[in-house]
């Protein structure tokens, strides 16, 4: 099988060589191109290029028709008549340049004669910084070096290593090579022997050899990185922990580095004869750390191993430190009850020292007569309803699996009850997209008593429902400004309040502010218009918060008569004065009006809201009816005082009256009904007389009978 493979390989090589020779013969069949002194020259050297035709390979007619052309790549550089040409070329660039000679017998056709490549390069520089290493006790020797500048020529590098007892190893690599592995292993038993290495670079223009470097086993052996790293916390406490790892047998020195996972700088520790373990005493609780270990065989010789793979682990928890930052709001419900809302901020990671499981909230009556109220919550707020008659104290603490923090105690007072402590001239100005600068002046008559200022803010939330989260920060009494940035977003209006605290008393002032604003996207929606004592009361709904685009400063109510083209009248209302209703008393009775509203921020006015029609139905005043009535009467009397006008009116009325309405009234006695009634009346009278006579006779006779 091996013989067959070898035979195939030789046959393939012979075929390639045959094809190359044939290609050379085909290309240069008509002539030759020669280069002197060599096809490979050093940078800056000159070279002579000659092109000549072989016998009977010129143009078919006469030699005077032979026109030889020399090309440098695709650029024509020389044209000459005859059987040969010659050109001296200098200043060729580094690298390979192709020259081609062609024959032209006519004005259009060019026949390729032959070509030549000229390579320009430099002698190899002396290899520098030769160094050798052996990875681990059982690795192989590998060396690296700096080649220096590029020679632009094929350059071979040979690495030689000379050892004890005239032993020699060498290995060669091809062009652009800067490292070689000799494939030999130096054993610990040979640690006392010295070895010498050098590298030789060779190309067509010359050669260069590095300075020899001498080393021992301990100088070049680089231990393998430690492995199987683990950590053990004694008694599940961060106060003492042990880092374990495994090493090669000859390791004498170790170095450890560790850091919190979110940190960029390392803590370094050196350990001699550690034997695969080291105690760490300065770790923070409940923190994820990254650990790495490196090894070295000798205190002064050799090099450090690569760092081991990272071990990431979290340290155990410890009892929280520090105290919570607690704030509160108080709201009276009725004469006997009040609502207390407590808020507190999360402890920092270094203070929490573990996962906070819950918060313990305790409410105490300062007089000691009421029982203590306690509650546990996982949230950072709590609300109670308590009597208004007592003084109350609140204590809040945070707890993790190891214990609780010290409680924060505050006395519940009226934070805005002391008017003398109210800060003055509160202002809120935008400082970029996500910041608001709040400034104020100290209380005029109690500035020296202020112990601290508290600035609180929350999204403006008119009406009921769930209130947005409360934010606050504390500042010392000598500061009268602060930049608020927590939970600040553009185009949102915030209600800001500055508290000045002195003991158990406090005063406050408030303002509204936003970090960025523009005109509202929509106008207020008018819900109802009602009539009250000759005026109207307009009620509307707030613009949705996402469409307000900042703090609303004013509302405008517009109205005009229906179908009128005149400019509407308007009434501007400050936002604080009337949040959702306002009276208007400028409308005339029995006139139909169209009303709408807009809202304004510091950036401009919103589009109009919905339109609403309304007609005031109130009683008209005496002057409202008397003036038109008197005017009408005067006009009528003026018209009918003229005879001509009276005649015209009489003719007009005559034409409009019905037929039964006539000046001559007919005599009822001539009607058919009257005549019939007369005949009936005569007959009735005759019959009555007859009846009367009979009856009278009958009466006269009856007594006698």
């Amino acid at each position: 099988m091996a013989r067959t493979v070898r035979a195939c390989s030789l046959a393939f090589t012979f075929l390639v060589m045959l094809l190359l020779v044939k290609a050379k013969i085909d290309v240069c069949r008509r002539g030759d191109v020669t280069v002197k002194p060599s096809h490979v020259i050093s940078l800056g050297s000159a070279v002579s290029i000659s092109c000549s035709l072989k016998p009977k390979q010129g143009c078919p007619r006469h030699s005077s028709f032979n026109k030889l052309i020399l090309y440098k790549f695709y650029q024509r550089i020389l044209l000459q008549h005859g059987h040969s040409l010659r050109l001296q070329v200098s200043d060729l660039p580094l690298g390979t340049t192709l020259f081609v000679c062609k024959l032209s017998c006519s004005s259009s056709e060019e026949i390729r004669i032959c070509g030549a490549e000229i390579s320009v390069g430099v002698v190899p520089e002396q290899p520098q910084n030769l160094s050798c290493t052996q990875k681990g006790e059982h690795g192989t020797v590998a060396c690296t070096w700096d080649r220096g500048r590029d020679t632009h020529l094929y350059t071979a590098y040979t690495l030689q290593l000379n050892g004890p007892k005239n032993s020699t190893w060498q290995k060669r690599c091809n062009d652009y090579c800067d490292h070689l592995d000799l494939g030999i292993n130096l054993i610990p038993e040979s640690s006392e022997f010295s070895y010498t290495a050098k590298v030789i670079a060779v190309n067509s223009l010359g050669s260069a050899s590095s300075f020899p470097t001498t080393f021992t086993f301990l100088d070049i052996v680089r231990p393998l990185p430690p492995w199987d790293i683990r950590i053990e916390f004694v008694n599940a406490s961060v106060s003492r922990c042990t880092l374990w790892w495994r090493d090669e047998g000859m390791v004498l020195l170790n170095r450890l580095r560790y850091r919190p996972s979110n940190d960029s700088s390392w803590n370094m520790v050196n350990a001699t004869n550690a034997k695969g373990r080291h105690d760490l005493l300065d770790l923070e609780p409940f923190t994820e750390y990254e650990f790495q270990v490196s090894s070295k065989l000798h205190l002064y010789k050799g090099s450090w191993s690569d760092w081991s793979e990272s071990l990431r682990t979290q340290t155990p928890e410890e009892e929280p430190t520090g105290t919570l930052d607690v704030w509160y709001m108080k709201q009276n419900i009725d004469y006997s009850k009040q609502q207390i809302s407590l808020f507190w901020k999360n402890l920092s990671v270094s203070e929490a020292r573990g996962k906070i499981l819950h918060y313990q909230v305790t409410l105490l009556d300062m007089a000691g007569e009421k029982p203590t109220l306690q509650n546990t919550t996982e949230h950072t707020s709590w609300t109670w309803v308590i009597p208004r008659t007592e003084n109350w104290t609140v204590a809040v603490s945070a707890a993790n699996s190891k214990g609780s923090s010290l409680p924060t105690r505050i006395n519940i007072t009226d934070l805005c009850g002391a008017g003398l402590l109210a800060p003055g001239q509160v202002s809120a100005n935008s400082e970029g997209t996500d910041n608001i600068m709040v400034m104020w002046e100290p209380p005029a008559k109690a500035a020296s008593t202020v112990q601290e200022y508290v600035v609180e803010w929350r999204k403006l939330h008119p009406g009921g429902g769930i209130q947005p989260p409360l934010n606050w920060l504390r500042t010392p009494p000598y500061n009268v400004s602060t930049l608020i940035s927590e939970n600040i977003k553009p185009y949102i209006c915030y209600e800001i309040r500055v508290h000045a605290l002195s003991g158990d008393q406090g005063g406050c002032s408030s303002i509204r502010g936003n970090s960025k604003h523009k005109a509202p996207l929509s106008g207020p929606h008018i819900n109802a218009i009602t009539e009250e004592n000759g005026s109207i009361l307009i009620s509307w709904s707030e613009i949705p918060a996402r469409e307000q685009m900042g703090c609303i400063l004013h509302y405008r109510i517009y109205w005009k008569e229906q179908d009128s083209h005149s400019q509407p009248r308007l009434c501007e209302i400050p936002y604080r004065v009337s949040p959702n209703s306002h009276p208007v008393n400028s409308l005339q009775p029995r006139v139909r009006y169209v009303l709408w509203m807009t809202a304004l921020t510091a950036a401009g006015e919103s589009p109009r809201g919905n339109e609403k029609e309304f007609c005031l139905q109130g009683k008209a005043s005496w002057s409202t009816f008397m003036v038109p009535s008197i005017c009408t009467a005067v006009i009528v009397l003026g018209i009918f005082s003229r005879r001509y006008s009276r005649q015209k009116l009489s003719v007009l009325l005559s034409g409009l009256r019905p037929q039964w309405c006539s000046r001559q009234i007919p005599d009822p006695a001539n009607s058919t009904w009257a005549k019939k009634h007369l005949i009936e009346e005569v007959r009735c009278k005759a019959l009555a007389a007859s009846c009367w006579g009979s009856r009278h006779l009958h009466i006269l006779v009856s007594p006698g009978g």
Side-chain angles (χ1 to χ4, degrees):
M1 181 67 183
R3 292 179 179 178
T4 304
V5 172
R6 181 175 178 82
C8 292
S9 177
L10 291 175
F12 177 75
T13 303
F14 177 77
L15 178 61
V16 170
M17 293 298 295
L18 181 63
L19 291 175
L20 290 175
V21 171
K22 185 177 185 302
K24 174 70 176 178
I25 294 173
D26 290 343
V27 171
C28 297
R29 179 175 56 86
R30 291 178 173 269
D32 296 305
V33 173
T34 58
V35 177
K36 294 182 179 181
S38 173
H39 285 265
V40 179
I41 61 175
S42 60
L43 181 65
S45 300
V47 65
S48 176
I49 304 173
S50 301
C51 177
S52 60
L53 292 173
K54 292 180 180 180
K56 300 181 181 181
Q57 295 299 322
C59 295
R61 297 181 181 178
H62 194 270
S63 62
S64 61
F65 289 96
N66 294 335
K67 186 166 57 176
L68 295 177
I69 306 170
L70 184 63
Y71 285 88
K72 179 182 177 181
F73 289 115
Y74 299 101
Q75 180 184 3
R76 179 182 295 184
I77 60 173
L78 181 63
L79 185 150
Q80 186 171 320
H81 292 273
H83 284 82
S84 64
L85 62 77
R86 183 178 180 183
L87 179 66
Q88 182 100 359
V89 179
S90 61
D91 297 328
L92 290 177
L94 289 170
T96 300
T97 303
L98 174 65
F99 292 90
V100 177
C101 183
K102 293 185 179 181
L103 172 66
S104 176
C105 295
S106 63
S107 59
S108 59
E109 184 181 5
E110 293 182 354
I111 304 170
R112 180 165 178 164
I113 302 300
C114 196
E117 290 182 343
I118 300 176
S119 297
V120 180
V122 294
V123 176
E125 287 188 335
Q126 183 183 43
Q128 302 289 332
N129 302 322
L130 175 62
S131 64
C132 299
T133 59
Q134 176 177 303
K135 289 188 176 182
E137 298 175 10
H138 306 288
T140 57
V141 177
C143 300
T144 62
W145 60 89
D146 294 334
R147 296 192 312 266
R149 65 179 178 180
D150 190 359
T151 65
H152 296 275
L153 300 174
Y154 174 82
T155 304
Y157 293 86
T158 302
L159 176 64
Q160 292 181 354
L161 179 64
N162 299 318
K165 300 178 182 180
N166 296 324
S167 56
T168 301
W169 300 269
Q170 71 176 19
K171 197 170 185 179
R172 183 177 177 178
C173 62
N174 296 325
D175 203 14
Y176 300 108
C177 175
D178 58 5
H179 67 279
L180 272 173
D181 191 331
L182 289 173
I184 63 171
N185 170 251
L186 302 186
I187 59 177
E189 289 75 11
S190 63
S191 59
E192 299 300 326
F193 298 114
S194 295
Y195 298 85
T196 302
K198 68 176 181 179
V199 61
I200 303 170
V202 179
N203 67 11
S204 301
L205 299 177
S207 64
S209 177
S210 69
F211 289 115
T213 178
T214 302
F215 51 82
T216 65
F217 171 83
L218 292 175
D219 291 328
I220 71 166
V221 174
R222 188 178 189 184
L224 296 176
W227 66 94
D228 194 17
I229 303 175
R230 63 192 187 279
I231 193 167
E232 177 183 340
F233 296 99
V234 181
N235 298 325
S237 174
V238 74
S239 59
R240 183 181 177 188
C241 67
T242 303
L243 189 67
W244 299 84
W245 66 91
R246 294 178 63 186
D247 253 331
E248 289 188 298
M250 294 185 63
V251 168
L252 180 64
L253 183 64
N254 291 103
R255 59 180 179 177
L256 290 70
R257 67 179 185 180
Y258 58 96
R259 65 181 177 182
S261 296
N262 58 357
D263 201 345
S264 59
S265 60
W266 293 90
N267 299 306
M268 300 289 294
V269 176
N270 289 327
T272 305
N273 289 321
K275 303 301 181 182
R277 60 165 290 170
H278 184 76
D279 293 332
L280 297 172
L281 306 177
D282 61 344
L283 301 183
E284 294 294 331
F286 199 63
T287 304
E288 184 178 2
Y289 278 92
E290 179 182 5
F291 301 90
Q292 286 183 323
V293 186
S294 178
S295 304
K296 194 178 179 185
L297 298 184
H298 195 272
L299 292 177
Y300 311 110
K301 295 182 178 181
S303 58
W304 288 99
S305 72
D306 292 332
W307 288 104
S308 66
E309 293 185 0
S310 293
L311 169 68
R312 294 178 182 270
T313 188
Q314 189 174 64
T315 55
E317 296 185 0
E318 294 290 343
E319 188 177 61
T321 60
T323 56
L324 293 166
D325 183 2
V326 182
W327 190 238
Y328 67 96
M329 295 178 63
K330 186 174 74 168
Q331 182 179 2
N332 294 331
I333 298 177
D334 54 31
Y335 69 93
S336 62
K337 296 179 181 179
Q338 60 183 346
Q339 177 177 285
I340 303 298
S341 297
L342 297 175
F343 308 91
W344 53 90
K345 296 182 180 180
N346 292 320
L347 293 174
S348 65
V349 174
S350 61
E351 292 175 329
R353 307 213 301 176
K355 180 181 179 181
I356 299 301
L357 302 177
H358 61 265
Y359 298 93
Q360 184 72 33
V361 185
T362 304
L363 185 66
L364 298 170
D365 177 13
M366 294 177 63
E369 299 176 357
K370 295 293 182 181
T372 300
L373 300 177
Q374 291 186 337
N375 191 79
T376 299
T377 179
E378 296 179 1
H379 304 288
T380 56
S381 63
W382 186 254
T383 299
W384 267 307
V385 175
I386 58 177
R388 295 177 58 183
T389 55
E390 289 82 10
N391 295 323
W392 299 92
T393 297
V394 173
V396 186
S397 60
N400 63 15
S401 63
K402 293 296 184 73
S404 299
S405 66
L406 294 175
T408 299
R409 300 175 67 93
I410 55 173
N411 296 329
I412 303 298
T413 61
D414 189 352
L415 293 172
C416 298
L420 293 177
L421 287 172
Q425 301 296 323
V426 179
S427 63
N429 301 311
S430 173
E431 289 284 341
T433 304
D434 302 316
N435 303 288
I436 300 176
M437 176 61 74
V438 183
M439 296 181 288
W440 64 90
E441 292 184 359
K445 298 182 180 180
S448 61
T449 64
V450 175
Q451 296 174 341
E452 70 170 338
Y453 292 103
V454 177
V455 180
E456 67 174 39
W457 67 96
R458 74 193 317 169
K459 290 182 182 179
L460 190 65
H461 185 75
I466 300 176
Q467 292 291 328
L470 183 70
N471 306 276
W472 73 95
L473 58 82
R474 301 177 186 271
T475 183
Y478 50 81
N479 282 346
V480 290
S481 66
T482 187
L483 187 69
I484 59 176
S485 58
E486 184 180 0
N487 296 326
I488 296 294
K489 296 181 180 179
Y491 308 117
I492 299 294
C493 185
Y494 294 90
E495 185 176 10
I496 303 169
R497 186 170 294 178
V498 182
H499 297 269
L501 303 181
S502 176
D504 292 338
Q505 293 183 322
C508 71
S509 299
S510 62
I511 195 173
R512 293 179 300 125
N514 49 246
S515 64
K516 195 173 183 180
H517 53 252
K518 59 183 179 181
L521 301 181
S522 63
H525 183 86
I526 299 177
N527 294 327
I529 303 177
T530 57
E531 182 177 348
E532 293 183 0
N533 299 325
S535 63
I536 63 172
L537 182 67
I538 301 177
S539 301
W540 63 87
S541 298
E542 288 283 347
I543 300 174
R546 63 181 180 276
E547 298 179 5
Q548 293 184 13
M549 311 311 291
C551 292
I552 295 177
L553 304 180
H554 299 91
Y555 288 117
R556 283 180 181 173
I557 302 176
Y558 291 87
W559 69 90
K560 68 174 184 177
E561 295 183 14
Q562 192 178 33
D563 301 328
S564 172
H565 298 289
S566 61
Q567 291 294 324
R569 299 178 63 186
L570 66 89
C571 172
E572 189 167 272
I573 313 156
Y575 178 83
R576 287 181 176 274
V577 173
S578 179
N580 58 5
S581 64
H582 188 75
V584 176
N585 53 14
S586 302
L587 273 63
Q588 296 294 333
R590 304 185 187 280
V591 177
R592 183 163 292 278
Y593 290 91
V594 178
L595 299 93
W596 67 90
M597 290 184 65
T598 62
L600 291 89
T601 64
E605 187 175 9
S606 73
R608 66 169 63 183
N610 67 314
E611 294 184 354
K612 203 88 170 177
E613 296 181 5
F614 189 79
C615 181
L616 189 64
Q617 301 297 328
K619 295 181 179 180
S621 63
W622 178 85
S623 60
T624 303
F625 289 100
M626 285 301 297
V627 173
S629 300
I630 292 174
C631 293
T632 304
V634 170
I635 293 172
V636 171
L637 289 176
I639 293 174
F640 288 104
S641 64
R642 301 177 63 183
R643 182 177 179 183
Y644 176 78
S645 299
R646 290 198 303 272
Q647 291 177 352
K648 288 293 184 181
L649 181 63
S650 176
V651 172
L652 177 62
L653 296 176
S654 298
L656 296 175
R657 69 187 178 188
Q659 295 181 357
W660 52 266
C661 181
S662 176
R663 291 183 179 180
Q664 298 180 356
I665 300 175
D667 188 0
N670 295 327
S671 64
T672 303
W673 175 84
K675 292 178 180 180
K676 290 182 179 181
H677 180 72
L678 180 60
I679 295 173
E680 292 295 332
E681 184 179 2
V682 172
R683 291 175 62 186
C684 184
K685 288 181 178 180
L687 180 59
S690 174
C691 293
W692 184 87
S694 300
R695 182 182 179 187
H696 184 68
L697 180 60
H698 177 73
I699 293 171
L700 292 178
V701 175
S702 294

